[in-house]
PDB file of all heavy atoms in Angstrom:
ATOM      1  N   THR A  15       0.828  -1.203   0.000  1.00  0.00           N
ATOM      2  CA  THR A  15       0.000   0.000   0.000  1.00  0.00           C
ATOM      3  C   THR A  15       0.865   1.256   0.000  1.00  0.00           C
ATOM      4  O   THR A  15       0.584   2.223  -0.717  1.00  0.00           O
ATOM      5  CB  THR A  15      -0.924  -0.002   1.230  1.00  0.00           C
ATOM      6  OG1 THR A  15      -1.753  -1.156   1.182  1.00  0.00           O
ATOM      7  CG2 THR A  15      -1.802   1.243   1.252  1.00  0.00           C
ATOM      8  N   ALA A  16       1.935   1.246   0.794  1.00  0.00           N
ATOM      9  CA  ALA A  16       2.842   2.393   0.835  1.00  0.00           C
ATOM     10  C   ALA A  16       3.486   2.639  -0.521  1.00  0.00           C
ATOM     11  O   ALA A  16       3.797   3.781  -0.876  1.00  0.00           O
ATOM     12  CB  ALA A  16       3.915   2.178   1.899  1.00  0.00           C
ATOM     13  N   ALA A  17       3.669   1.566  -1.287  1.00  0.00           N
ATOM     14  CA  ALA A  17       4.226   1.727  -2.628  1.00  0.00           C
ATOM     15  C   ALA A  17       3.296   2.564  -3.499  1.00  0.00           C
ATOM     16  O   ALA A  17       3.746   3.390  -4.303  1.00  0.00           O
ATOM     17  CB  ALA A  17       4.466   0.357  -3.263  1.00  0.00           C
ATOM     18  N   PHE A  18       1.977   2.344  -3.341  1.00  0.00           N
ATOM     19  CA  PHE A  18       1.021   3.138  -4.105  1.00  0.00           C
ATOM     20  C   PHE A  18       0.843   4.529  -3.507  1.00  0.00           C
ATOM     21  O   PHE A  18       0.574   5.497  -4.224  1.00  0.00           O
ATOM     22  CB  PHE A  18      -0.318   2.412  -4.178  1.00  0.00           C
ATOM     23  CG  PHE A  18      -0.273   1.167  -5.018  1.00  0.00           C
ATOM     24  CD1 PHE A  18      -0.324  -0.085  -4.428  1.00  0.00           C
ATOM     25  CD2 PHE A  18      -0.167   1.243  -6.396  1.00  0.00           C
ATOM     26  CE1 PHE A  18      -0.272  -1.236  -5.196  1.00  0.00           C
ATOM     27  CE2 PHE A  18      -0.114   0.097  -7.174  1.00  0.00           C
ATOM     28  CZ  PHE A  18      -0.164  -1.146  -6.570  1.00  0.00           C
ATOM     29  N   VAL A  19       0.992   4.635  -2.162  1.00  0.00           N
ATOM     30  CA  VAL A  19       0.855   5.932  -1.507  1.00  0.00           C
ATOM     31  C   VAL A  19       2.044   6.827  -1.803  1.00  0.00           C
ATOM     32  O   VAL A  19       1.894   8.007  -2.142  1.00  0.00           O
ATOM     33  CB  VAL A  19       0.720   5.751   0.020  1.00  0.00           C
ATOM     34  CG1 VAL A  19       0.680   7.101   0.727  1.00  0.00           C
ATOM     35  CG2 VAL A  19      -0.526   4.964   0.360  1.00  0.00           C
ATOM     36  N   LEU A  20       3.257   6.274  -1.669  1.00  0.00           N
ATOM     37  CA  LEU A  20       4.476   7.067  -1.792  1.00  0.00           C
ATOM     38  C   LEU A  20       5.343   6.656  -2.970  1.00  0.00           C
ATOM     39  O   LEU A  20       5.794   7.494  -3.741  1.00  0.00           O
ATOM     40  CB  LEU A  20       5.300   6.965  -0.504  1.00  0.00           C
ATOM     41  CG  LEU A  20       4.692   7.575   0.755  1.00  0.00           C
ATOM     42  CD1 LEU A  20       5.585   7.272   1.959  1.00  0.00           C
ATOM     43  CD2 LEU A  20       4.515   9.077   0.591  1.00  0.00           C
ATOM     44  N   GLY A  21       5.587   5.342  -3.088  1.00  0.00           N
ATOM     45  CA  GLY A  21       6.560   4.880  -4.065  1.00  0.00           C
ATOM     46  C   GLY A  21       6.244   5.277  -5.489  1.00  0.00           C
ATOM     47  O   GLY A  21       7.040   5.972  -6.145  1.00  0.00           O
ATOM     48  N   VAL A  22       5.079   4.854  -6.000  1.00  0.00           N
ATOM     49  CA  VAL A  22       4.733   5.150  -7.386  1.00  0.00           C
ATOM     50  C   VAL A  22       4.486   6.645  -7.605  1.00  0.00           C
ATOM     51  O   VAL A  22       5.010   7.221  -8.569  1.00  0.00           O
ATOM     52  CB  VAL A  22       3.515   4.306  -7.832  1.00  0.00           C
ATOM     53  CG1 VAL A  22       3.076   4.687  -9.241  1.00  0.00           C
ATOM     54  CG2 VAL A  22       3.868   2.815  -7.780  1.00  0.00           C
ATOM     55  N   PRO A  23       3.719   7.331  -6.728  1.00  0.00           N
ATOM     56  CA  PRO A  23       3.545   8.776  -6.943  1.00  0.00           C
ATOM     57  C   PRO A  23       4.847   9.566  -6.854  1.00  0.00           C
ATOM     58  O   PRO A  23       5.089  10.458  -7.676  1.00  0.00           O
ATOM     59  CB  PRO A  23       2.585   9.181  -5.800  1.00  0.00           C
ATOM     60  CG  PRO A  23       1.865   7.929  -5.464  1.00  0.00           C
ATOM     61  CD  PRO A  23       2.863   6.836  -5.642  1.00  0.00           C
ATOM     62  N   VAL A  24       5.708   9.247  -5.868  1.00  0.00           N
ATOM     63  CA  VAL A  24       6.983   9.960  -5.765  1.00  0.00           C
ATOM     64  C   VAL A  24       7.866   9.626  -6.962  1.00  0.00           C
ATOM     65  O   VAL A  24       8.547  10.498  -7.513  1.00  0.00           O
ATOM     66  CB  VAL A  24       7.697   9.612  -4.438  1.00  0.00           C
ATOM     67  CG1 VAL A  24       9.128  10.133  -4.437  1.00  0.00           C
ATOM     68  CG2 VAL A  24       6.931  10.195  -3.263  1.00  0.00           C
ATOM     69  N   GLY A  25       7.852   8.348  -7.367  1.00  0.00           N
ATOM     70  CA  GLY A  25       8.603   7.981  -8.564  1.00  0.00           C
ATOM     71  C   GLY A  25       8.107   8.729  -9.790  1.00  0.00           C
ATOM     72  O   GLY A  25       8.902   9.167 -10.627  1.00  0.00           O
ATOM     73  N   THR A  26       6.783   8.896  -9.894  1.00  0.00           N
ATOM     74  CA  THR A  26       6.206   9.659 -11.000  1.00  0.00           C
ATOM     75  C   THR A  26       6.643  11.118 -10.942  1.00  0.00           C
ATOM     76  O   THR A  26       7.006  11.715 -11.969  1.00  0.00           O
ATOM     77  CB  THR A  26       4.668   9.574 -10.961  1.00  0.00           C
ATOM     78  OG1 THR A  26       4.271   8.206 -11.051  1.00  0.00           O
ATOM     79  CG2 THR A  26       4.050  10.351 -12.110  1.00  0.00           C
ATOM     80  N   ALA A  27       6.622  11.683  -9.727  1.00  0.00           N
ATOM     81  CA  ALA A  27       7.043  13.079  -9.562  1.00  0.00           C
ATOM     82  C   ALA A  27       8.520  13.256  -9.915  1.00  0.00           C
ATOM     83  O   ALA A  27       8.903  14.224 -10.575  1.00  0.00           O
ATOM     84  CB  ALA A  27       6.777  13.532  -8.131  1.00  0.00           C
ATOM     85  N   ILE A  28       9.356  12.321  -9.473  1.00  0.00           N
ATOM     86  CA  ILE A  28      10.779  12.383  -9.809  1.00  0.00           C
ATOM     87  C   ILE A  28      10.974  12.253 -11.311  1.00  0.00           C
ATOM     88  O   ILE A  28      11.785  12.973 -11.924  1.00  0.00           O
ATOM     89  CB  ILE A  28      11.556  11.265  -9.068  1.00  0.00           C
ATOM     90  CG1 ILE A  28      11.581  11.547  -7.567  1.00  0.00           C
ATOM     91  CG2 ILE A  28      12.986  11.143  -9.603  1.00  0.00           C
ATOM     92  CD1 ILE A  28      12.156  10.406  -6.748  1.00  0.00           C
ATOM     93  N   GLY A  29      10.210  11.324 -11.918  1.00  0.00           N
ATOM     94  CA  GLY A  29      10.312  11.153 -13.363  1.00  0.00           C
ATOM     95  C   GLY A  29       9.913  12.404 -14.122  1.00  0.00           C
ATOM     96  O   GLY A  29      10.550  12.771 -15.111  1.00  0.00           O
ATOM     97  N   ASN A  30       8.877  13.093 -13.647  1.00  0.00           N
ATOM     98  CA  ASN A  30       8.436  14.328 -14.305  1.00  0.00           C
ATOM     99  C   ASN A  30       9.454  15.447 -14.132  1.00  0.00           C
ATOM    100  O   ASN A  30       9.635  16.288 -15.023  1.00  0.00           O
ATOM    101  CB  ASN A  30       7.083  14.772 -13.753  1.00  0.00           C
ATOM    102  CG  ASN A  30       5.958  13.847 -14.198  1.00  0.00           C
ATOM    103  OD1 ASN A  30       6.051  13.183 -15.223  1.00  0.00           O
ATOM    104  ND2 ASN A  30       4.882  13.808 -13.418  1.00  0.00           N
ATOM    105  N   ALA A  31      10.127  15.472 -12.953  1.00  0.00           N
ATOM    106  CA  ALA A  31      11.069  16.549 -12.661  1.00  0.00           C
ATOM    107  C   ALA A  31      12.469  16.278 -13.205  1.00  0.00           C
ATOM    108  O   ALA A  31      13.117  17.185 -13.748  1.00  0.00           O
ATOM    109  CB  ALA A  31      11.145  16.767 -11.145  1.00  0.00           C
ATOM    110  N   LEU A  32      12.955  15.053 -13.065  1.00  0.00           N
ATOM    111  CA  LEU A  32      14.348  14.737 -13.394  1.00  0.00           C
ATOM    112  C   LEU A  32      14.489  13.745 -14.545  1.00  0.00           C
ATOM    113  O   LEU A  32      15.608  13.485 -14.986  1.00  0.00           O
ATOM    114  CB  LEU A  32      15.062  14.170 -12.153  1.00  0.00           C
ATOM    115  CG  LEU A  32      15.062  15.047 -10.901  1.00  0.00           C
ATOM    116  CD1 LEU A  32      15.745  14.308  -9.752  1.00  0.00           C
ATOM    117  CD2 LEU A  32      15.747  16.381 -11.179  1.00  0.00           C
ATOM    118  N   GLY A  33      13.370  13.171 -14.973  1.00  0.00           N
ATOM    119  CA  GLY A  33      13.430  12.159 -16.022  1.00  0.00           C
ATOM    120  C   GLY A  33      13.184  10.767 -15.455  1.00  0.00           C
ATOM    121  O   GLY A  33      13.525  10.483 -14.310  1.00  0.00           O
ATOM    122  N   TRP A  34      12.600   9.895 -16.295  1.00  0.00           N
ATOM    123  CA  TRP A  34      12.244   8.566 -15.812  1.00  0.00           C
ATOM    124  C   TRP A  34      13.462   7.735 -15.436  1.00  0.00           C
ATOM    125  O   TRP A  34      13.387   6.876 -14.554  1.00  0.00           O
ATOM    126  CB  TRP A  34      11.391   7.840 -16.850  1.00  0.00           C
ATOM    127  CG  TRP A  34      12.084   7.501 -18.138  1.00  0.00           C
ATOM    128  CD1 TRP A  34      12.141   8.258 -19.273  1.00  0.00           C
ATOM    129  CD2 TRP A  34      12.811   6.298 -18.430  1.00  0.00           C
ATOM    130  NE1 TRP A  34      12.860   7.618 -20.255  1.00  0.00           N
ATOM    131  CE2 TRP A  34      13.276   6.404 -19.774  1.00  0.00           C
ATOM    132  CE3 TRP A  34      13.103   5.154 -17.715  1.00  0.00           C
ATOM    133  CZ2 TRP A  34      14.032   5.415 -20.389  1.00  0.00           C
ATOM    134  CZ3 TRP A  34      13.857   4.142 -18.321  1.00  0.00           C
ATOM    135  CH2 TRP A  34      14.309   4.281 -19.646  1.00  0.00           C
ATOM    136  N   ARG A  35      14.605   8.010 -16.069  1.00  0.00           N
ATOM    137  CA  ARG A  35      15.816   7.260 -15.736  1.00  0.00           C
ATOM    138  C   ARG A  35      16.286   7.546 -14.316  1.00  0.00           C
ATOM    139  O   ARG A  35      16.773   6.643 -13.607  1.00  0.00           O
ATOM    140  CB  ARG A  35      16.918   7.575 -16.749  1.00  0.00           C
ATOM    141  CG  ARG A  35      16.574   7.138 -18.170  1.00  0.00           C
ATOM    142  CD  ARG A  35      17.694   7.473 -19.154  1.00  0.00           C
ATOM    143  NE  ARG A  35      17.299   7.169 -20.524  1.00  0.00           N
ATOM    144  CZ  ARG A  35      17.403   5.972 -21.092  1.00  0.00           C
ATOM    145  NH1 ARG A  35      17.904   4.961 -20.396  1.00  0.00           N
ATOM    146  NH2 ARG A  35      17.029   5.792 -22.341  1.00  0.00           N
ATOM    147  N   ALA A  36      16.129   8.777 -13.883  1.00  0.00           N
ATOM    148  CA  ALA A  36      16.495   9.128 -12.508  1.00  0.00           C
ATOM    149  C   ALA A  36      15.610   8.383 -11.518  1.00  0.00           C
ATOM    150  O   ALA A  36      16.080   7.936 -10.459  1.00  0.00           O
ATOM    151  CB  ALA A  36      16.373  10.638 -12.301  1.00  0.00           C
ATOM    152  N   ALA A  37      14.322   8.235 -11.847  1.00  0.00           N
ATOM    153  CA  ALA A  37      13.412   7.519 -10.959  1.00  0.00           C
ATOM    154  C   ALA A  37      13.844   6.067 -10.791  1.00  0.00           C
ATOM    155  O   ALA A  37      13.850   5.526  -9.663  1.00  0.00           O
ATOM    156  CB  ALA A  37      11.983   7.583 -11.517  1.00  0.00           C
ATOM    157  N   PHE A  38      14.239   5.400 -11.878  1.00  0.00           N
ATOM    158  CA  PHE A  38      14.697   4.015 -11.785  1.00  0.00           C
ATOM    159  C   PHE A  38      16.009   3.909 -11.000  1.00  0.00           C
ATOM    160  O   PHE A  38      16.217   2.957 -10.239  1.00  0.00           O
ATOM    161  CB  PHE A  38      14.862   3.415 -13.182  1.00  0.00           C
ATOM    162  CG  PHE A  38      13.604   2.837 -13.744  1.00  0.00           C
ATOM    163  CD1 PHE A  38      12.784   3.589 -14.577  1.00  0.00           C
ATOM    164  CD2 PHE A  38      13.219   1.540 -13.443  1.00  0.00           C
ATOM    165  CE1 PHE A  38      11.614   3.053 -15.108  1.00  0.00           C
ATOM    166  CE2 PHE A  38      12.041   1.003 -13.956  1.00  0.00           C
ATOM    167  CZ  PHE A  38      11.237   1.763 -14.792  1.00  0.00           C
ATOM    168  N   THR A  39      16.899   4.867 -11.185  1.00  0.00           N
ATOM    169  CA  THR A  39      18.168   4.849 -10.452  1.00  0.00           C
ATOM    170  C   THR A  39      17.939   4.965  -8.953  1.00  0.00           C
ATOM    171  O   THR A  39      18.516   4.211  -8.149  1.00  0.00           O
ATOM    172  CB  THR A  39      19.071   6.006 -10.918  1.00  0.00           C
ATOM    173  OG1 THR A  39      19.324   5.881 -12.315  1.00  0.00           O
ATOM    174  CG2 THR A  39      20.390   5.988 -10.167  1.00  0.00           C
ATOM    175  N   ILE A  40      17.087   5.897  -8.568  1.00  0.00           N
ATOM    176  CA  ILE A  40      16.840   6.129  -7.144  1.00  0.00           C
ATOM    177  C   ILE A  40      16.184   4.912  -6.499  1.00  0.00           C
ATOM    178  O   ILE A  40      16.577   4.495  -5.403  1.00  0.00           O
ATOM    179  CB  ILE A  40      15.982   7.393  -6.964  1.00  0.00           C
ATOM    180  CG1 ILE A  40      16.807   8.635  -7.334  1.00  0.00           C
ATOM    181  CG2 ILE A  40      15.475   7.507  -5.523  1.00  0.00           C
ATOM    182  CD1 ILE A  40      16.011   9.908  -7.403  1.00  0.00           C
ATOM    183  N   ILE A  41      15.197   4.310  -7.163  1.00  0.00           N
ATOM    184  CA  ILE A  41      14.550   3.137  -6.562  1.00  0.00           C
ATOM    185  C   ILE A  41      15.536   1.977  -6.470  1.00  0.00           C
ATOM    186  O   ILE A  41      15.499   1.189  -5.520  1.00  0.00           O
ATOM    187  CB  ILE A  41      13.282   2.734  -7.349  1.00  0.00           C
ATOM    188  CG1 ILE A  41      12.503   1.656  -6.575  1.00  0.00           C
ATOM    189  CG2 ILE A  41      13.618   2.208  -8.719  1.00  0.00           C
ATOM    190  CD1 ILE A  41      12.047   2.049  -5.216  1.00  0.00           C
ATOM    191  N   GLY A  42      16.477   1.883  -7.411  1.00  0.00           N
ATOM    192  CA  GLY A  42      17.496   0.844  -7.320  1.00  0.00           C
ATOM    193  C   GLY A  42      18.357   0.994  -6.084  1.00  0.00           C
ATOM    194  O   GLY A  42      18.659   0.009  -5.389  1.00  0.00           O
ATOM    195  N   VAL A  43      18.740   2.221  -5.777  1.00  0.00           N
ATOM    196  CA  VAL A  43      19.540   2.482  -4.577  1.00  0.00           C
ATOM    197  C   VAL A  43      18.747   2.168  -3.311  1.00  0.00           C
ATOM    198  O   VAL A  43      19.253   1.555  -2.366  1.00  0.00           O
ATOM    199  CB  VAL A  43      20.022   3.949  -4.562  1.00  0.00           C
ATOM    200  CG1 VAL A  43      20.699   4.277  -3.241  1.00  0.00           C
ATOM    201  CG2 VAL A  43      20.985   4.198  -5.726  1.00  0.00           C
ATOM    202  N   VAL A  44      17.474   2.572  -3.292  1.00  0.00           N
ATOM    203  CA  VAL A  44      16.631   2.324  -2.116  1.00  0.00           C
ATOM    204  C   VAL A  44      16.437   0.821  -1.890  1.00  0.00           C
ATOM    205  O   VAL A  44      16.434   0.351  -0.749  1.00  0.00           O
ATOM    206  CB  VAL A  44      15.266   3.037  -2.270  1.00  0.00           C
ATOM    207  CG1 VAL A  44      14.343   2.680  -1.116  1.00  0.00           C
ATOM    208  CG2 VAL A  44      15.465   4.545  -2.332  1.00  0.00           C
ATOM    209  N   VAL A  45      16.279   0.059  -2.961  1.00  0.00           N
ATOM    210  CA  VAL A  45      16.137  -1.396  -2.827  1.00  0.00           C
ATOM    211  C   VAL A  45      17.381  -1.993  -2.169  1.00  0.00           C
ATOM    212  O   VAL A  45      17.287  -2.854  -1.280  1.00  0.00           O
ATOM    213  CB  VAL A  45      15.889  -2.053  -4.197  1.00  0.00           C
ATOM    214  CG1 VAL A  45      15.951  -3.577  -4.074  1.00  0.00           C
ATOM    215  CG2 VAL A  45      14.535  -1.646  -4.751  1.00  0.00           C
ATOM    216  N   ALA A  46      18.560  -1.549  -2.589  1.00  0.00           N
ATOM    217  CA  ALA A  46      19.806  -2.048  -1.997  1.00  0.00           C
ATOM    218  C   ALA A  46      19.878  -1.733  -0.505  1.00  0.00           C
ATOM    219  O   ALA A  46      20.329  -2.555   0.305  1.00  0.00           O
ATOM    220  CB  ALA A  46      21.012  -1.449  -2.727  1.00  0.00           C
ATOM    221  N   VAL A  47      19.420  -0.543  -0.123  1.00  0.00           N
ATOM    222  CA  VAL A  47      19.409  -0.170   1.299  1.00  0.00           C
ATOM    223  C   VAL A  47      18.468  -1.083   2.089  1.00  0.00           C
ATOM    224  O   VAL A  47      18.790  -1.527   3.200  1.00  0.00           O
ATOM    225  CB  VAL A  47      18.994   1.312   1.462  1.00  0.00           C
ATOM    226  CG1 VAL A  47      18.751   1.645   2.931  1.00  0.00           C
ATOM    227  CG2 VAL A  47      20.060   2.224   0.878  1.00  0.00           C
ATOM    228  N   LEU A  48      17.307  -1.401   1.512  1.00  0.00           N
ATOM    229  CA  LEU A  48      16.354  -2.273   2.206  1.00  0.00           C
ATOM    230  C   LEU A  48      16.899  -3.687   2.364  1.00  0.00           C
ATOM    231  O   LEU A  48      16.554  -4.391   3.319  1.00  0.00           O
ATOM    232  CB  LEU A  48      15.016  -2.285   1.475  1.00  0.00           C
ATOM    233  CG  LEU A  48      13.927  -1.390   2.082  1.00  0.00           C
ATOM    234  CD1 LEU A  48      13.521  -1.883   3.470  1.00  0.00           C
ATOM    235  CD2 LEU A  48      14.386   0.065   2.151  1.00  0.00           C
ATOM    236  N   ALA A  49      17.749  -4.118   1.452  1.00  0.00           N
ATOM    237  CA  ALA A  49      18.385  -5.429   1.610  1.00  0.00           C
ATOM    238  C   ALA A  49      19.219  -5.454   2.887  1.00  0.00           C
ATOM    239  O   ALA A  49      19.239  -6.455   3.621  1.00  0.00           O
ATOM    240  CB  ALA A  49      19.247  -5.757   0.394  1.00  0.00           C
ATOM    241  N   LEU A  50      19.897  -4.358   3.187  1.00  0.00           N
ATOM    242  CA  LEU A  50      20.682  -4.270   4.422  1.00  0.00           C
ATOM    243  C   LEU A  50      19.777  -4.252   5.652  1.00  0.00           C
ATOM    244  O   LEU A  50      20.122  -4.826   6.694  1.00  0.00           O
ATOM    245  CB  LEU A  50      21.557  -3.011   4.387  1.00  0.00           C
ATOM    246  CG  LEU A  50      22.594  -2.939   3.256  1.00  0.00           C
ATOM    247  CD1 LEU A  50      23.349  -1.617   3.319  1.00  0.00           C
ATOM    248  CD2 LEU A  50      23.557  -4.116   3.344  1.00  0.00           C
ATOM    249  N   VAL A  51      18.631  -3.606   5.543  1.00  0.00           N
ATOM    250  CA  VAL A  51      17.671  -3.594   6.651  1.00  0.00           C
ATOM    251  C   VAL A  51      17.194  -5.017   6.959  1.00  0.00           C
ATOM    252  O   VAL A  51      17.073  -5.415   8.119  1.00  0.00           O
ATOM    253  CB  VAL A  51      16.471  -2.684   6.309  1.00  0.00           C
ATOM    254  CG1 VAL A  51      15.369  -2.820   7.357  1.00  0.00           C
ATOM    255  CG2 VAL A  51      16.931  -1.230   6.205  1.00  0.00           C
ATOM    256  N   ILE A  52      16.934  -5.798   5.914  1.00  0.00           N
ATOM    257  CA  ILE A  52      16.510  -7.186   6.093  1.00  0.00           C
ATOM    258  C   ILE A  52      17.602  -7.988   6.810  1.00  0.00           C
ATOM    259  O   ILE A  52      17.316  -8.781   7.720  1.00  0.00           O
ATOM    260  CB  ILE A  52      16.185  -7.832   4.730  1.00  0.00           C
ATOM    261  CG1 ILE A  52      14.900  -7.222   4.148  1.00  0.00           C
ATOM    262  CG2 ILE A  52      16.053  -9.351   4.856  1.00  0.00           C
ATOM    263  CD1 ILE A  52      13.654  -7.534   4.926  1.00  0.00           C
ATOM    264  N   VAL A  53      18.844  -7.800   6.410  1.00  0.00           N
ATOM    265  CA  VAL A  53      19.963  -8.494   7.061  1.00  0.00           C
ATOM    266  C   VAL A  53      19.973  -8.208   8.555  1.00  0.00           C
ATOM    267  O   VAL A  53      20.193  -9.101   9.386  1.00  0.00           O
ATOM    268  CB  VAL A  53      21.303  -8.079   6.422  1.00  0.00           C
ATOM    269  CG1 VAL A  53      22.481  -8.628   7.238  1.00  0.00           C
ATOM    270  CG2 VAL A  53      21.394  -8.574   4.988  1.00  0.00           C
TER     271      VAL A  53
END
């Protein structure tokens, strides 16, 4: 649910402001950080 509340809308906003490639880069970094949280 948070992905629809924040993730997709914020990703859309980032894509509109900085380009869709920036949105994919940022989510890639965040995913790596969450892997460390799981550990």
Side-chain angles (χ1 to χ4, degrees):
T15 300
F18 291 108
V19 176
L20 294 175
V22 175
V24 169
T26 301
I28 291 172
N30 289 335
L32 303 177
W34 66 269
R35 297 180 186 275
F38 274 95
T39 301
I40 291 171
I41 189 60
V43 173
V44 175
V45 172
V47 170
L48 260 295
L50 299 178
V51 172
I52 290 293
V53 171

